[in-house]
Amino acid sequence: MKFEMNRKTIITALLALVSLVASAAVPDSIRQNLADFDSVIYMAEHDYAPFKFKVTNKNKKEYYALKKRLLKDLAKGRRTWQDAVCAYVGWFGDHHFFVFGNQEVNENYHKYSRKRIEYWTLMDEYHPKPTSCKVDNDTWLIRFPSCDNTRAWVEQSVHEYLASGCSNLIIDIRGNGGGRDDSYQPLFQLLFDTPDCSRDGAMLRYTEASIKRCGLTEEKLKDFGLPTDFASAPEYVVWVKDGATFHYDSISSFPKKAAIVIDNSVASSGEELVLDARLASSRTRIYGRDNTAGCVDTGNCPHFKPTGRNVNIQYPMSYSTRWEKDTCVDPTGIAPDVRMTLPYPKRLTDNIDEWVLWVAEDMKR
């Protein structure tokens, strides 16, 4: 009852703001700010996939108080539109849900976003680059810092490793913020040794607005087995079924042992590789000093751009069924199997750094 009374109070206040904006004394710029901000709220509440998990009975008061405060600040000219949007989106703490644009926009959003460790402030140089090379007679290194359009390079690196004669493989994904899951499949096929493991599925918040923003045609929807009549379609549809299993015709003899090296910048598809390896590779251990970023339980991200505004808002239209099972990785991230206590290396580029050397020795034990 207390919450319902508070909610009525908020609604009353919002109605008062609408009345205020309707008056001739309110500048057109403020009216436009409120209208555009409302469009962002509408997108979040109607299109953002995990909204029902992000705004719950535990934090509804906080959420409505945030909206009320931001709307009031906009109505009184105490806050810029950009700042209000950054504060609103940042509240959700979802690295797949963010505001971006020019440098000013990006810096403003950074004030409100969930923070990751800023490795470039802790090392002399933090710029992981694709690397495929021998560490020692037993160990090969594949540094794989992105899942963006890199499958051909990964396939070549796998070929180099198999030709090397090394029994152990280090897959270094520090800095890998994601991209496409299929980029890492050649690597995962090497690691896979546990058949019949089943993956978590995913649900799609199925709205016409999101489908249009993705540019999906009616033919594409049919190819994906999705309904084309939004009027009768459910709000959520199955995107990936629970229980899908990995299948390869054979299990690779190499590597004998494998390591995946992570840091707090590993996100999205980078984290998917870690989850897949942990699920279906008994010979792989995860090494790191920090957890991964915790940005893997949402995905399939279109962009929303309010008319006339120099900002874009990315939001996920799907969520992992881990949300429904209360087994989410976000926001804490994936913990390593081996928690390294080494100092951060001075440089991470295309070099064989101190961490790689330590992991190579640890794998021989």
Side-chain angles (χ1 to χ4, degrees), residues 338-361:
V338 179
R339 183 76 71 175
M340 300 172 68
T341 57
L342 294 177
Y344 294 117
K346 292 184 180 299
R347 292 177 57 249
L348 186 63
T349 56
D350 57 358
N351 58 322
I352 298 175
D353 68 294
E354 302 93 316
W355 282 24
V356 166
L357 293 173
W358 188 91
V359 171
E361 288 302 310

Short mmCIF file of all heavy atoms in Angstrom, two decimals, residues 338-361:
data_model
loop_
_atom_site.label_atom_id
_atom_site.label_comp_id
_atom_site.label_asym_id
_atom_site.label_seq_id
_atom_site.Cartn_x
_atom_site.Cartn_y
_atom_site.Cartn_z
N VAL A 338 41.80 -19.71 -11.91
CA VAL A 338 43.06 -19.40 -11.23
C VAL A 338 43.14 -17.89 -11.08
O VAL A 338 43.27 -17.17 -12.07
CB VAL A 338 44.28 -19.93 -12.02
CG1 VAL A 338 45.57 -19.58 -11.28
CG2 VAL A 338 44.16 -21.43 -12.24
N ARG A 339 43.03 -17.42 -9.84
CA ARG A 339 43.08 -15.98 -9.56
C ARG A 339 44.54 -15.56 -9.45
O ARG A 339 45.22 -15.85 -8.46
CB ARG A 339 42.32 -15.67 -8.28
CG ARG A 339 42.23 -14.21 -7.93
CD ARG A 339 41.22 -13.47 -8.76
NE ARG A 339 39.85 -13.81 -8.42
CZ ARG A 339 38.78 -13.23 -8.95
NH1 ARG A 339 38.93 -12.25 -9.85
NH2 ARG A 339 37.56 -13.60 -8.64
N MET A 340 45.04 -14.86 -10.45
CA MET A 340 46.44 -14.48 -10.49
C MET A 340 46.71 -13.30 -9.55
O MET A 340 45.90 -12.37 -9.47
CB MET A 340 46.85 -14.14 -11.92
CG MET A 340 46.68 -15.30 -12.88
SD MET A 340 46.94 -14.86 -14.62
CE MET A 340 48.68 -14.52 -14.62
N THR A 341 47.84 -13.35 -8.87
CA THR A 341 48.21 -12.27 -7.95
C THR A 341 49.39 -11.47 -8.47
O THR A 341 49.93 -10.63 -7.75
CB THR A 341 48.54 -12.85 -6.56
OG1 THR A 341 49.59 -13.81 -6.69
CG2 THR A 341 47.32 -13.51 -5.95
N LEU A 342 49.79 -11.73 -9.70
CA LEU A 342 50.89 -10.98 -10.30
C LEU A 342 50.51 -9.52 -10.49
O LEU A 342 49.33 -9.19 -10.67
CB LEU A 342 51.23 -11.56 -11.67
CG LEU A 342 51.79 -12.98 -11.76
CD1 LEU A 342 51.96 -13.35 -13.22
CD2 LEU A 342 53.10 -13.09 -11.02
N PRO A 343 51.48 -8.62 -10.47
CA PRO A 343 51.19 -7.23 -10.86
C PRO A 343 50.74 -7.20 -12.32
O PRO A 343 51.03 -8.12 -13.09
CB PRO A 343 52.55 -6.52 -10.69
CG PRO A 343 53.38 -7.43 -9.85
CD PRO A 343 52.90 -8.83 -10.11
N TYR A 344 50.04 -6.12 -12.68
CA TYR A 344 49.69 -5.96 -14.09
C TYR A 344 50.98 -5.80 -14.90
O TYR A 344 51.94 -5.15 -14.45
CB TYR A 344 48.82 -4.73 -14.29
CG TYR A 344 47.46 -4.85 -13.66
CD1 TYR A 344 47.06 -3.99 -12.64
CD2 TYR A 344 46.55 -5.82 -14.07
CE1 TYR A 344 45.81 -4.10 -12.05
CE2 TYR A 344 45.30 -5.94 -13.49
CZ TYR A 344 44.94 -5.08 -12.48
OH TYR A 344 43.70 -5.20 -11.90
N PRO A 345 51.03 -6.38 -16.10
CA PRO A 345 52.24 -6.21 -16.92
C PRO A 345 52.42 -4.75 -17.33
O PRO A 345 51.45 -3.98 -17.35
CB PRO A 345 51.96 -7.09 -18.13
CG PRO A 345 50.47 -7.22 -18.19
CD PRO A 345 50.00 -7.18 -16.77
N LYS A 346 53.64 -4.40 -17.65
CA LYS A 346 53.90 -3.02 -18.06
C LYS A 346 53.32 -2.74 -19.45
O LYS A 346 52.81 -1.66 -19.71
CB LYS A 346 55.40 -2.73 -18.06
CG LYS A 346 56.02 -2.74 -16.67
CD LYS A 346 57.48 -2.35 -16.72
CE LYS A 346 58.10 -2.37 -15.34
NZ LYS A 346 57.46 -1.40 -14.44
N ARG A 347 53.40 -3.75 -20.34
CA ARG A 347 52.91 -3.58 -21.70
C ARG A 347 52.09 -4.79 -22.10
O ARG A 347 52.42 -5.92 -21.78
CB ARG A 347 54.08 -3.44 -22.69
CG ARG A 347 54.90 -2.20 -22.58
CD ARG A 347 56.07 -2.22 -23.55
NE ARG A 347 55.65 -2.40 -24.95
CZ ARG A 347 55.88 -3.49 -25.65
NH1 ARG A 347 56.51 -4.53 -25.13
NH2 ARG A 347 55.46 -3.57 -26.91
N LEU A 348 51.01 -4.51 -22.84
CA LEU A 348 50.24 -5.59 -23.46
C LEU A 348 49.89 -5.14 -24.87
O LEU A 348 48.97 -4.35 -25.08
CB LEU A 348 48.97 -5.89 -22.66
CG LEU A 348 48.17 -7.10 -23.17
CD1 LEU A 348 48.98 -8.38 -23.04
CD2 LEU A 348 46.84 -7.24 -22.43
N THR A 349 50.65 -5.63 -25.82
CA THR A 349 50.43 -5.30 -27.24
C THR A 349 50.42 -6.62 -28.02
O THR A 349 49.49 -7.39 -27.90
CB THR A 349 51.51 -4.33 -27.74
OG1 THR A 349 52.80 -4.89 -27.52
CG2 THR A 349 51.42 -2.99 -27.02
N ASP A 350 51.49 -6.86 -28.80
CA ASP A 350 51.65 -8.15 -29.46
C ASP A 350 52.83 -8.91 -28.85
O ASP A 350 53.40 -9.80 -29.47
CB ASP A 350 51.84 -7.97 -30.97
CG ASP A 350 53.02 -7.07 -31.30
OD1 ASP A 350 53.67 -6.55 -30.36
OD2 ASP A 350 53.31 -6.88 -32.50
N ASN A 351 53.18 -8.54 -27.62
CA ASN A 351 54.35 -9.11 -26.95
C ASN A 351 53.97 -10.36 -26.13
O ASN A 351 52.81 -10.60 -25.83
CB ASN A 351 54.97 -8.07 -26.02
CG ASN A 351 53.98 -7.55 -24.98
OD1 ASN A 351 52.79 -7.36 -25.27
ND2 ASN A 351 54.44 -7.32 -23.76
N ILE A 352 54.98 -11.11 -25.76
CA ILE A 352 54.81 -12.19 -24.78
C ILE A 352 55.08 -11.58 -23.42
O ILE A 352 56.23 -11.37 -23.03
CB ILE A 352 55.77 -13.37 -25.08
CG1 ILE A 352 55.46 -13.97 -26.45
CG2 ILE A 352 55.65 -14.44 -24.00
CD1 ILE A 352 56.43 -15.05 -26.88
N ASP A 353 54.02 -11.25 -22.69
CA ASP A 353 54.17 -10.49 -21.45
C ASP A 353 54.36 -11.43 -20.26
O ASP A 353 54.33 -12.67 -20.39
CB ASP A 353 52.95 -9.60 -21.23
CG ASP A 353 51.70 -10.40 -20.95
OD1 ASP A 353 51.23 -11.14 -21.86
OD2 ASP A 353 51.18 -10.32 -19.83
N GLU A 354 54.53 -10.83 -19.08
CA GLU A 354 54.83 -11.60 -17.87
C GLU A 354 53.72 -12.58 -17.51
O GLU A 354 54.00 -13.69 -17.02
CB GLU A 354 55.05 -10.64 -16.68
CG GLU A 354 56.17 -9.63 -16.87
CD GLU A 354 55.72 -8.30 -17.44
OE1 GLU A 354 54.91 -8.29 -18.39
OE2 GLU A 354 56.19 -7.26 -16.93
N TRP A 355 52.48 -12.22 -17.76
CA TRP A 355 51.37 -13.12 -17.44
C TRP A 355 51.40 -14.37 -18.31
O TRP A 355 51.17 -15.48 -17.82
CB TRP A 355 50.04 -12.39 -17.61
CG TRP A 355 49.70 -11.48 -16.48
CD1 TRP A 355 50.55 -10.89 -15.59
CD2 TRP A 355 48.39 -11.04 -16.13
NE1 TRP A 355 49.84 -10.11 -14.71
CE2 TRP A 355 48.53 -10.19 -15.01
CE3 TRP A 355 47.11 -11.28 -16.65
CZ2 TRP A 355 47.42 -9.57 -14.41
CZ3 TRP A 355 46.02 -10.67 -16.05
CH2 TRP A 355 46.17 -9.83 -14.95
N VAL A 356 51.65 -14.21 -19.59
CA VAL A 356 51.70 -15.36 -20.49
C VAL A 356 52.81 -16.31 -20.07
O VAL A 356 52.62 -17.54 -20.04
CB VAL A 356 51.89 -14.89 -21.95
CG1 VAL A 356 52.28 -16.05 -22.85
CG2 VAL A 356 50.62 -14.22 -22.46
N LEU A 357 53.97 -15.77 -19.71
CA LEU A 357 55.08 -16.61 -19.27
C LEU A 357 54.72 -17.37 -18.00
O LEU A 357 55.03 -18.56 -17.86
CB LEU A 357 56.33 -15.76 -19.04
CG LEU A 357 56.94 -15.13 -20.30
CD1 LEU A 357 58.06 -14.16 -19.92
CD2 LEU A 357 57.47 -16.21 -21.24
N TRP A 358 54.03 -16.71 -17.08
CA TRP A 358 53.63 -17.36 -15.82
C TRP A 358 52.62 -18.48 -16.09
O TRP A 358 52.73 -19.57 -15.54
CB TRP A 358 53.04 -16.32 -14.88
CG TRP A 358 52.78 -16.84 -13.50
CD1 TRP A 358 53.64 -16.81 -12.43
CD2 TRP A 358 51.58 -17.49 -13.03
NE1 TRP A 358 53.06 -17.40 -11.34
CE2 TRP A 358 51.78 -17.83 -11.67
CE3 TRP A 358 50.37 -17.81 -13.63
CZ2 TRP A 358 50.84 -18.47 -10.90
CZ3 TRP A 358 49.39 -18.46 -12.86
CH2 TRP A 358 49.62 -18.78 -11.52
N VAL A 359 51.62 -18.20 -16.94
CA VAL A 359 50.61 -19.20 -17.26
C VAL A 359 51.26 -20.39 -17.96
O VAL A 359 50.93 -21.56 -17.68
CB VAL A 359 49.49 -18.59 -18.15
CG1 VAL A 359 48.56 -19.68 -18.65
CG2 VAL A 359 48.72 -17.56 -17.36
N ALA A 360 52.22 -20.14 -18.87
CA ALA A 360 52.88 -21.23 -19.59
C ALA A 360 53.59 -22.16 -18.61
O ALA A 360 53.54 -23.40 -18.76
CB ALA A 360 53.88 -20.65 -20.59
N GLU A 361 54.24 -21.60 -17.60
CA GLU A 361 54.90 -22.42 -16.60
C GLU A 361 53.89 -23.16 -15.72
O GLU A 361 54.07 -24.33 -15.38
CB GLU A 361 55.82 -21.56 -15.72
CG GLU A 361 57.07 -21.07 -16.42
CD GLU A 361 57.90 -22.23 -16.95
OE1 GLU A 361 58.18 -23.18 -16.18
OE2 GLU A 361 58.31 -22.17 -18.13
#
